[in-house]
Amino acid sequence: MEYLINLGILFCIYAMLALSLNMVVGLSGLVSLAHAAFYGIGAYAVAILMTMHGFGFWSSMLAGVVLNGITAFAVGKILSKFKGDYYAIVSAGLSVIVFSVLLNFKSLTKGPLGIYGIGKPSVAGFHFSSSLSFLALAFVFVVLFYALFVLIDKSSFGRALKGLREDEVLTVSLGYKTTKYKSLIFTLSAMMAGVAGSFFASYIAFIDPTSFQLAEGIFFFTMITVGGLSSAFGSVVGAALLLILPEALRFLGLPYETAAQLQQLIYGALLVMMMAFRPQGLFGKFKV
Amino acid sequence: MLLVLLINILIVGAGYGLIAIAFAVMSSVSPFFNLTLGSIIAFGAYGTYGLTEYAHLPMAVAIVISIAFCACAAALLERFVYTPLRTRGASSMVLLVASLGLYTIFEASIHLAFGPQYQILGGALGQNMNLGIFSMPKVQFITIVADFIVFGLVNLLLFHTFFGKMVRALNDSAKLANITGLNNNKIILIVSMLSGLILGLSGVLTGFDTGLEPTMGFNLLFKGMIGAIIGGSGSLYGPFLGAFFLAAAENVGVMLWASEWRDLVAFVIFIIFLIFRPQGIFQRKEK
Amino acid sequence: MLKKLILSLCFILALSACKEENKTQAQAKPVIKIGANLHLTGQLAHTGAGAKNALQMAFEKWQKKDTKYRYELIFEDDMMKTQQAAVNTQKLINIDGVRAVLSLFGIVDRVIDDIANQNKVISVSCSYGKSEVPEYGVNTGAQNEEIYGAVVRQLKKENVKTVVLEGSQSAVSFAILDYFAAHLPQDGIKVLANEKHNLDVRDFRTSIQKTEVLKPDYYLIFGVEPMNSIFTKQYREITGKNNLASLGNFPEIADSLWPNLEGLWSASLIGGTSEFSQQYETRFHDRVHGCSANLYDALNMLMMAFENAPVKEGKDIPENIDVVQYMRHIGTYNGAFGMIEMGINGIGHPSVDIVKLQNGKWVKIGE
């Protein structure tokens, strides 16, 4: 049971990330590779403030969210100048830059040695030290983010986003200030990714920069592509599927000499098959 | 010291350049972040390694066979995976994920076939040659020469031949090209073979210079892609020069600060340049 | 069809997860399961493979013996990622019911230590430069003191006064190189630079030329392969000099690269008696890697501890804490590695030698 609960916690964290990324990529059509950076900032905010300055979980998370918001707002302004491939490269650049800072700014982040002993949150005296309670707390946030996504999707804000995704020129000519909308959704999404990062740091209690590299961003992409772009349900399903798949492969009883590589092979094959059978993702409503 | 720095940039930039050109060539008919291009680089290196180590073929033969294999692999992947997906309406992200799946399969297969240990291709190409004031391994010199030759030839092909016109027409609009009687599939086949060939060559040269390991494809491809995109599309000067620009930006970081800040400095430089030239650093603004 | 496949995968997972911890049935011998959480994929896959092979070899030897208990060895791949290591350890402890987890180095071993300790499960690692373990932990990897001691003796013999340190941006590199940076000045050797390269760097030329301007007497490197091989190759290409030594892992490098290392010396963290090396090489057609011999000995010590630790009244197998205590009190252990001095705080001190590549063979030098 403990094993499933732990998987459940990871699911919640990845679901939060998938929902946040899908808002930017699915709803708005912005191919951002920057989310690993925001995830990392959220995690390190909690790690540094809790272990080195005695802050509590919620205030640390808030600090991380605010930092992400400011960063996203600033970066968003630069990003809005770019389209397509360039948007992707510049956003990837943010991931690389943040990773570099986390890795090398040793006086702040302890570099590759990582930060350990990160505590768990408390609310009104109740300490979320058991994994089951932590899971429940994380799940509450998943529900919140899911609701937020659906709310935006169905609102006029969401319609404007989808408009600028489909045809930005037209949307601008209709009077919508698309740069403001892009900036808003990017900032919001970054803050959500920060929350996921904070939960991750608290859950695993021991973080290092290697969890926040560009490759992680590609994994987030895979989640929402498999699950379905522009769909809240798709985000959540994608997260669950890509978490469960490698776990299920363990139980196939492959020979120990080659098990790890065969598992990779099967995982890769399943990805290809999924794309071949359902190119729009399991519950996708939109193609980039 | 400056001279030495320039030579380093030349060597590294040439290495990236081959991959950048191959990526740009492939993108002209199949534009997306294709991770299997990285696998093809690895095939070039490991093909040569396998044929010399286990089949005991002479080096030259092994190289030719490997590069030919890479050309075929690139064409087959494009023909049987990416083009069909695209025809069925798959988005760039779906293609990216499919290529990620394939890349994972290939990397795991290489690992199973050759083991995870880091290897290097031996032989005369690894030895130093004297060029007056300095010496460098032959393979590095060959890489520089190869980069220039490939650039020259591909540029000639894409921009000064009828075939090149067809490729660019396809790039502009595949539907229109088809309607006007172009055999899309044939063009795509030839272009992907060309791209695979260059990638295979890059793999072989890398194998001699900095060695091989199953994970080698991804990082090399990433460098090439960055060089190509930052340089700009539309002409082959973009990837060719962009690769040198990438090498320069990296080395500047190492030179002025420390190796640890290399990537950060490089990306900050790119972003600053791109802000002023969002169409790509070495491209003219679109008319 | 795809949906069916996914559903069946979920079903398999749910079934397996619902298994309760294995209760020992009415069998002749109780079962003790041991887990191994290793780097089987990723940059350090070769180290993981070496450890896996060595563990399997040790395990098979025990299976031929007549033991008090029945043992099972289960391998998992931590992919060098903390969250994967955490999930693996949870699975090993809660689904498989292991009593001990073996691990390598990086940050992952500390995550594994933590989770194992919380569950009162034994955690044995081979981690370089790790100087403390929790209550249920044991470490068998080389320690900074031994590495430093051996290297500094050699440096003094060669009259080295200035040094440049080169490493990778990895936890182990940092732990060892920072120790050197702190202690070398106390031994009269000046550290001119402490360069750390990102793991994907394959071009060190500019960095080498930059540090060469400082005219150091020696370069000391400890990076994640292939940094060591490529750096050495490029260093010799550019300078033609020989004043470069590795702080731990030259002998682990593939044979095809040894021509580049001819005449250079290295601290050897790999150990391995010639008997062990020969057995390993004959069976696996590959060289012994870092941590192979250490974990081989670790598994032997662990199983010896299980077999010999005191069993409390009314129980049929020893408590984990007693097994850990037994391991910690082993004292000097002479095994496949050579000599490991086990400390009662759980930290083992493997001996570190200096070896030099002479005519294609690694020869021990200096004493």
Side-chain angles (χ1 to χ4, degrees):
Chain A
M1 247 352 252
E2 193 64 24
Y3 167 66
L4 280 181
I5 296 176
N6 276 279
L7 272 188
I9 296 174
L10 276 176
F11 158 72
C12 290
I13 295 170
Y14 283 129
M16 289 186 228
L17 285 162
L19 284 164
S20 76
L21 187 63
N22 218 342
M23 276 189 203
V24 166
V25 178
L27 276 183
S28 326
L30 304 167
V31 181
S32 161
L33 285 166
H35 275 56
F38 299 126
Y39 180 48
I41 293 175
Y44 266 87
V46 159
I48 294 172
L49 291 174
M50 281 183 83
T51 60
M52 300 187 211
H53 300 282
F55 278 55
F57 177 79
W58 301 107
S59 37
S60 310
M61 182 170 95
L62 189 64
V65 163
V66 167
L67 184 57
N68 269 341
I70 298 173
T71 312
F73 188 71
V75 172
K77 286 226 170 304
I78 302 177
L79 277 175
S80 58
K81 295 198 198 306
F82 300 105
K83 294 201 179 354
D85 281 350
Y86 294 97
Y87 191 97
I89 287 280
V90 175
S91 63
L94 181 66
S95 279
V96 171
I97 291 172
V98 168
F99 173 68
S100 204
V101 168
L102 293 177
L103 195 62
N104 295 306
F105 202 160
K106 289 171 284 260
S107 50
L108 183 67
T109 65
K110 298 227 189 115
L113 293 169
I115 299 179
Y116 60 91
I118 305 168
K120 300 278 189 296
S122 318
V123 168
F126 177 74
H127 191 61
F128 288 87
S129 48
S130 78
S131 44
L132 192 59
S133 58
F134 194 87
L135 172 63
L137 184 65
F139 193 71
V140 165
F141 273 82
V142 173
V143 170
L144 276 172
F145 284 3
Y146 192 99
L148 186 61
F149 189 105
V150 172
L151 215 74
I152 293 180
D153 191 13
K154 298 208 186 315
S155 71
S156 58
F157 177 44
R159 277 195 294 278
L161 288 173
K162 284 180 250 186
L164 76 87
R165 171 189 79 197
E166 297 297 337
D167 190 337
E168 184 158 359
V169 176
L170 179 63
T171 315
V172 169
S173 72
L174 288 174
Y176 288 93
K177 295 208 167 53
T178 55
T179 28
K180 276 213 171 71
Y181 287 115
K182 283 199 273 193
S183 179
L184 193 57
I185 197 72
F186 187 70
T187 309
L188 180 64
S189 164
M191 296 197 288
M192 288 164 71
V195 171
S198 302
F199 271 97
F200 177 72
S202 182
Y203 159 64
I204 209 155
F206 199 136
I207 60 168
D208 75 314
T210 60
S211 301
F212 311 110
Q213 285 183 70
L214 187 59
E216 202 68 13
I218 297 181
F219 176 68
F220 303 160
F221 253 87
T222 310
M223 281 197 286
I224 60 176
T225 307
V226 165
L229 290 174
S230 195
S231 154
F233 191 58
S235 312
V236 163
V237 166
L241 199 60
L242 287 193
L243 195 62
I244 291 178
L245 262 178
E247 295 303 309
L249 292 177
R250 276 185 217 277
F251 297 100
L252 283 177
L254 296 163
Y256 85 94
E257 296 94 338
T258 49
Q261 277 64 51
L262 288 176
Q263 282 168 11
Q264 293 242 298
L265 223 133
I266 298 173
Y267 177 81
L270 286 170
L271 273 185
V272 178
M273 285 202 297
M274 279 192 272
M275 291 300 101
F277 280 111
R278 278 192 84 85
Q280 70 273 38
L282 290 167
F283 297 96
K285 295 185 211 156
F286 156 70
K287 296 174 201 139
V288 166
Chain B
M1 196 60 222
L2 189 64
L3 176 67
V4 148
L5 185 67
L6 283 175
I7 294 170
N8 289 345
I9 294 175
L10 198 62
I11 296 171
V12 176
Y16 294 159
L18 285 170
I19 303 174
I21 293 173
F23 175 74
V25 164
M26 195 58 151
S27 290
S28 63
V29 296
S30 183
F32 71 99
F33 292 121
N34 185 350
L35 295 176
T36 48
L37 296 178
S39 302
I40 294 178
I41 302 175
F43 289 161
Y46 273 97
T48 312
Y49 177 71
L51 290 172
T52 48
E53 272 298 303
Y54 298 112
H56 303 294
L57 292 176
M59 185 60 80
V61 175
I63 291 177
V64 168
I65 296 179
S66 290
I67 295 182
F69 175 73
C70 292
C72 295
L76 287 171
L77 281 170
E78 184 56 42
R79 177 82 179 79
F80 292 108
V81 178
Y82 302 123
T83 304
L85 271 177
R86 196 179 287 115
T87 322
R88 288 166 55 201
S91 64
S92 309
M93 295 216 336
V94 170
L95 293 171
L96 166 62
V97 174
S99 75
L100 174 64
L102 284 168
Y103 176 83
T104 311
I105 294 177
F106 293 141
E107 189 188 299
S109 306
I110 292 177
H111 190 292
L112 284 170
F114 295 97
Q117 183 83 336
Y118 169 75
Q119 303 284 357
I120 200 165
L121 291 172
L125 284 182
Q127 278 149 23
N128 269 7
M129 61 192 292
N130 248 313
L131 290 163
I133 19 166
F134 53 84
S135 70
M136 66 163 82
K138 288 195 194 115
V139 61
Q140 287 170 11
F141 185 71
I142 294 175
T143 306
I144 297 175
V145 169
D147 186 34
F148 275 82
I149 292 180
V150 166
F151 169 66
L153 289 177
V154 176
N155 199 26
L156 203 70
L157 181 72
L158 283 184
F159 292 95
H160 299 280
T161 64
F162 188 65
F163 178 75
K165 265 217 180 78
M166 293 199 285
V167 173
R168 281 178 290 137
L170 196 105
N171 190 16
D172 271 342
S173 167
K175 275 202 194 121
L176 206 56
N178 210 1
I179 292 174
T180 58
L182 289 180
N183 187 344
N184 284 10
N185 278 337
K186 198 157 154 217
I187 297 175
I188 295 177
L189 193 78
I190 297 179
V191 170
S192 40
M193 284 187 79
L194 177 64
S195 174
L197 197 140
I198 304 173
L199 290 170
L201 177 65
S202 166
V204 170
L205 291 170
T206 307
F208 280 106
D209 188 23
T210 49
L212 3 74
E213 47 186 339
T215 54
M216 68 190 283
F218 184 82
N219 283 319
L220 287 167
L221 176 66
F222 189 62
K223 300 280 181 188
M225 282 196 325
I226 300 216
I229 293 174
I230 295 197
S233 57
S235 91
L236 211 61
Y237 283 94
F240 179 65
L241 294 173
F244 287 113
F245 187 76
L246 169 61
E250 285 183 342
N251 279 289
V252 159
V254 175
M255 201 66 203
L256 295 179
W257 288 277
S259 187
E260 31 206 81
W261 298 109
R262 194 189 68 144
D263 289 339
L264 189 146
V265 170
F267 266 95
V268 168
I269 292 178
F270 301 150
I271 294 176
I272 294 177
F273 269 83
L274 282 177
I275 290 178
F276 292 109
R277 292 185 73 84
Q279 73 278 20
I281 299 178
F282 299 102
Q283 297 296 350
R284 270 162 264 158
K285 268 205 157 61
E286 272 170 21
K287 292 157 222 167
Chain C
M1 185 240 132
L2 187 65
K3 286 206 173 127
K4 277 194 206 146
L5 181 66
I6 295 170
L7 278 172
S8 47
L9 280 173
C10 296
F11 188 58
I12 296 173
L13 182 64
L15 266 185
S16 345
C18 287
K19 263 189 347 199
E20 290 300 315
E21 218 187 276
N22 265 333
K23 294 200 175 76
T24 50
Q25 282 133 26
Q27 283 173 340
K29 300 182 200 175
V31 179
I32 295 181
K33 294 191 189 177
I34 300 173
N37 209 348
L38 309 170
H39 313 321
L40 297 177
T41 51
Q43 187 100 16
L44 287 169
H46 54 93
T47 306
K52 178 185 65 176
N53 291 336
L55 285 173
Q56 186 68 16
M57 211 161 82
F59 188 65
E60 283 168 6
K61 286 215 173 119
W62 275 92
Q63 292 200 300
K64 297 200 180 104
K65 292 189 200 167
D66 189 22
T67 51
K68 269 193 223 167
Y69 314 107
R70 265 181 46 212
Y71 294 91
E72 263 181 55
L73 184 59
I74 304 168
F75 291 101
E76 291 293 345
D77 176 18
D78 64 19
M79 302 181 195
M80 284 179 65
K81 287 194 196 160
T82 45
Q83 60 259 36
Q84 192 62 41
V87 169
N88 289 350
T89 312
Q90 291 290 350
K91 178 246 179 197
L92 286 168
I93 292 177
N94 293 301
I95 303 223
D96 297 308
V98 300
R99 298 200 142 253
V101 181
L102 297 155
S103 59
L104 286 167
F105 48 83
I107 298 280
V108 291
D109 58 308
R110 293 165 213 247
V111 171
I112 295 168
D113 277 350
D114 253 359
I115 299 176
N117 207 52
Q118 280 168 32
N119 285 282
K120 298 196 164 57
V121 165
I122 306 168
S123 167
V124 184
S125 57
C126 171
S127 183
Y128 304 126
K130 183 162 95 174
S131 52
E132 60 176 11
V133 282
E135 200 186 347
Y136 284 80
V138 172
N139 184 28
T140 59
Q143 291 301 303
N144 287 332
E145 296 86 12
E146 276 81 35
I147 304 172
Y148 182 79
V151 170
V152 139
R153 266 196 303 275
Q154 185 63 26
L155 288 176
K156 288 208 167 133
K157 260 192 220 167
E158 304 200 16
N159 218 355
V160 170
K161 291 283 177 238
T162 56
V163 141
V164 162
L165 301 173
E166 299 274 351
S168 301
Q169 284 166 334
S170 76
V172 173
S173 259
F174 267 70
I176 296 182
L177 289 175
D178 287 352
Y179 185 93
F180 270 72
H183 286 78
L184 280 171
Q186 295 164 20
D187 277 294
I189 299 176
K190 196 155 168 232
V191 177
L192 298 174
N194 194 347
E195 294 282 309
K196 303 279 174 37
H197 305 279
N198 206 341
L199 289 173
D200 64 348
V201 174
R202 298 286 176 269
D203 170 52
F204 303 95
R205 288 173 264 250
T206 306
S207 176
I208 293 171
Q209 279 144 0
K210 191 173 130 184
T211 44
E212 272 294 281
V213 170
L214 304 168
K215 295 202 195 330
D217 289 336
Y218 241 84
Y219 279 77
L220 297 177
I221 53 177
F222 191 91
V224 174
E225 262 307 271
M227 185 223 146
N228 304 304
S229 311
I230 300 180
F231 187 94
T232 309
K233 174 175 181 279
Q234 290 174 351
Y235 177 74
R236 297 185 89 170
E237 276 165 14
I238 293 173
T239 65
K241 294 197 261 186
N242 257 11
N243 51 345
L244 184 151
S246 160
L247 296 181
N249 37 20
F250 270 173
E252 199 176 346
I253 293 174
D255 293 38
S256 56
L257 286 139
W258 285 11
N260 278 325
L261 308 175
E262 187 67 35
L264 301 181
W265 58 266
S266 164
S268 175
L269 308 187
I270 296 167
T273 57
S274 41
E275 188 194 327
F276 172 72
S277 304
Q278 213 159 16
Q279 273 178 22
Y280 184 95
E281 283 169 28
T282 317
R283 173 154 171 195
F284 298 107
H285 305 292
D286 186 21
R287 205 151 291 287
V288 169
H289 291 273
C291 281
S292 304
N294 307 60
L295 283 184
Y296 183 94
D297 285 344
L299 185 62
N300 280 333
M301 284 193 258
L302 182 64
M303 290 176 80
M304 199 166 82
F306 269 113
E307 291 288 300
N308 294 302
V311 182
K312 293 213 168 78
E313 274 289 330
K315 305 267 183 187
D316 46 2
I317 41 180
E319 297 278 310
N320 287 347
I321 190 72
D322 294 322
V323 176
V324 170
Q325 284 299 312
Y326 188 97
M327 281 184 80
R328 290 183 176 193
H329 285 88
I330 282 179
T332 310
Y333 184 83
N334 286 304
F337 180 87
M339 186 185 87
I340 302 180
E341 192 70 50
M342 290 306 293
I344 45 178
N345 60 350
I347 301 293
H349 291 263
S351 57
V352 174
D353 295 316
I354 302 290
V355 294
K356 188 173 188 169
L357 189 62
Q358 285 173 345
N359 299 318
K361 279 200 183 333
W362 289 101
V363 176
K364 242 193 252 194
I365 60 170
E367 215 38 24

